[in-house]
Amino acid sequence: VDLVESGGGLVEPGVSLRLSCAASGRPFRFNVMGWFRQAPGQEREFVAAISRTGDRTEYADSVKGRFTISRDNAKNTMFLQMNNLKHEDTAVYFCAARKGFSMAEVASTYYEYWGHGTLVPVSS
């Protein structure tokens, strides 16, 4: 199973960016999928998660109201729409997936599958 992120790049504060995560292999094993990020010198942190059918989502407090997670199971793709980006959103963003169903388990250790990450620097 492979997860490949795309869409990252240098942006100025206040603009929007959309990340994509393409899954290949046996993505039907995935239930919850999520986005994590890791800023320089910091630990990886949860950003957002989405249930298999997309009817449930969870967000970190720091991105609520600005980021939207979605998925298209027919295309085995997940998205993260990021609006009103801030300097503190600068990080490598990782796509992740798990076989479990819990949306409350946001620790990265619950996710079995990971992409290699895409860098999003937010700078003026």
Side-chain angles (χ1 to χ4, degrees):
V1 175
D2 290 320
L3 299 175
V4 179
E5 303 94 338
S6 61
L10 177 64
V11 294
E12 294 184 346
V15 304
S16 298
L17 198 65
R18 189 194 199 200
L19 303 182
S20 298
C21 172
S24 61
R26 295 184 177 182
F28 62 84
R29 292 182 174 182
F30 300 159
N31 286 302
V32 174
M33 296 188 72
W35 289 95
F36 289 76
R37 67 186 181 185
Q38 188 165 14
Q42 305 211 3
E43 294 185 354
R44 192 170 299 189
E45 65 173 4
F46 169 78
V47 175
I50 187 167
S51 63
R52 185 181 184 89
T53 58
D55 61 328
R56 293 177 294 146
T57 57
E58 290 286 342
Y59 295 93
D61 288 341
S62 58
V63 306
K64 278 181 182 177
R66 298 189 299 122
F67 290 13
T68 302
I69 189 172
S70 61
R71 67 192 288 178
D72 183 343
N73 290 334
K75 297 182 179 179
N76 295 326
T77 305
M78 178 177 66
F79 306 96
L80 184 68
Q81 177 67 41
M82 305 186 293
N83 297 330
N84 189 23
L85 281 161
K86 304 177 180 181
H87 288 291
E88 51 265 41
D89 294 319
T90 293
V92 176
Y93 284 73
F94 296 90
C95 166
R98 60 175 298 191
K99 291 178 283 188
F101 292 92
S102 174
M103 297 286 290
E105 296 170 340
V106 298
S108 61
T109 51
Y110 289 106
Y111 287 75
E112 296 95 345
Y113 306 99
W114 290 87
H116 293 291
T118 184
L119 178 63
V120 179
V122 182
S123 176
S124 52

